[in-house]
Coordinates of all heavy atoms in Angstrom, one line a residue:
I519 N -19.2 -80.3 -107.5 CA -18.3 -79.2 -107.3 C -17.0 -79.8 -106.8 O -16.9 -80.5 -105.8 CB -18.9 -78.3 -106.2 CG1 -20.3 -77.8 -106.6 CG2 -18.0 -77.1 -105.9 CD1 -21.0 -77.0 -105.6
P520 N -15.9 -79.4 -107.4 CA -14.6 -80.0 -106.9 C -14.2 -79.4 -105.6 O -14.5 -78.2 -105.3 CB -13.6 -79.6 -108.1 CG -14.3 -78.4 -108.7 CD -15.7 -78.6 -108.6
G521 N -13.4 -80.1 -104.9 CA -12.8 -79.6 -103.7 C -11.7 -78.6 -104.0 O -11.2 -78.5 -105.1
G522 N -11.4 -77.8 -103.1 CA -10.4 -76.8 -103.3 C -9.3 -76.8 -102.2 O -9.3 -77.7 -101.3
P523 N -8.4 -75.9 -102.2 CA -7.3 -75.9 -101.2 C -8.0 -75.6 -99.8 O -8.9 -74.9 -99.7 CB -6.4 -74.7 -101.6 CG -7.3 -73.8 -102.5 CD -8.2 -74.8 -103.2
A524 N -7.4 -76.3 -98.8 CA -7.9 -76.0 -97.5 C -7.5 -74.6 -97.1 O -6.5 -74.1 -97.5 CB -7.3 -77.0 -96.5
V525 N -8.4 -73.9 -96.3 CA -8.1 -72.6 -95.8 C -6.8 -72.7 -94.9 O -6.7 -73.5 -94.0 CB -9.3 -72.0 -95.0 CG1 -8.9 -70.7 -94.4 CG2 -10.5 -71.9 -96.0
K526 N -5.9 -71.8 -95.2 CA -4.7 -71.8 -94.5 C -4.9 -71.4 -93.0 O -5.6 -70.5 -92.7 CB -3.7 -70.8 -95.1 CG -3.2 -71.2 -96.5 CD -2.3 -70.1 -97.1 CE -1.9 -70.4 -98.5 NZ -1.1 -69.4 -99.1
P527 N -4.4 -72.2 -92.1 CA -4.6 -71.9 -90.7 C -4.0 -70.6 -90.3 O -2.9 -70.2 -90.9 CB -3.9 -73.1 -89.9 CG -3.0 -73.6 -90.9 CD -3.5 -73.4 -92.3
V528 N -4.6 -69.9 -89.3 CA -4.1 -68.6 -88.9 C -3.6 -68.8 -87.4 O -4.3 -69.4 -86.6 CB -5.3 -67.6 -88.9 CG1 -4.9 -66.3 -88.2 CG2 -5.7 -67.3 -90.3
T529 N -2.5 -68.2 -87.2 CA -1.9 -68.3 -85.8 C -2.4 -67.0 -85.1 O -2.1 -65.9 -85.5 CB -0.4 -68.3 -85.9 OG1 0.1 -69.4 -86.6 CG2 0.2 -68.3 -84.4
A530 N -3.1 -67.2 -84.0 CA -3.7 -66.1 -83.2 C -4.0 -66.6 -81.8 O -4.3 -67.8 -81.6 CB -4.9 -65.5 -83.9
G531 N -3.9 -65.8 -80.9 CA -4.3 -66.1 -79.5 C -4.4 -64.9 -78.7 O -4.2 -63.8 -79.1
P532 N -4.8 -65.0 -77.4 CA -4.9 -63.9 -76.5 C -3.6 -63.2 -76.3 O -2.5 -63.9 -76.4 CB -5.5 -64.5 -75.2 CG -5.2 -66.0 -75.3 CD -5.2 -66.3 -76.7
V533 N -3.6 -61.9 -76.0 CA -2.4 -61.1 -75.8 C -2.5 -60.5 -74.4 O -3.5 -59.9 -74.1 CB -2.3 -60.0 -76.9 CG1 -1.1 -59.1 -76.6 CG2 -2.2 -60.6 -78.3
T534 N -1.5 -60.7 -73.6 CA -1.4 -60.1 -72.3 C -0.6 -58.7 -72.5 O 0.5 -58.7 -72.9 CB -0.7 -61.0 -71.3 OG1 -1.5 -62.2 -71.2 CG2 -0.6 -60.3 -70.0
L535 N -1.3 -57.6 -72.1 CA -0.6 -56.3 -72.2 C 0.5 -56.3 -71.1 O 0.3 -56.8 -70.0 CB -1.6 -55.2 -71.9 CG -2.8 -55.1 -72.9 CD1 -3.8 -54.0 -72.5 CD2 -2.3 -54.9 -74.3
P536 N 1.6 -55.6 -71.4 CA 2.7 -55.6 -70.5 C 2.4 -54.7 -69.2 O 2.9 -54.9 -68.2 CB 3.9 -55.0 -71.3 CG 3.2 -54.2 -72.4 CD 2.0 -55.0 -72.7
A537 N 1.4 -53.8 -69.4 CA 1.0 -52.9 -68.3 C -0.3 -52.3 -68.7 O -0.8 -52.4 -69.8 CB 2.0 -51.8 -68.2

Side-chain angles (χ1 to χ4, degrees):
I519 303 173
V525 174
K526 296 177 182 178
V528 169
T529 300
V533 175
T534 297
L535 299 176

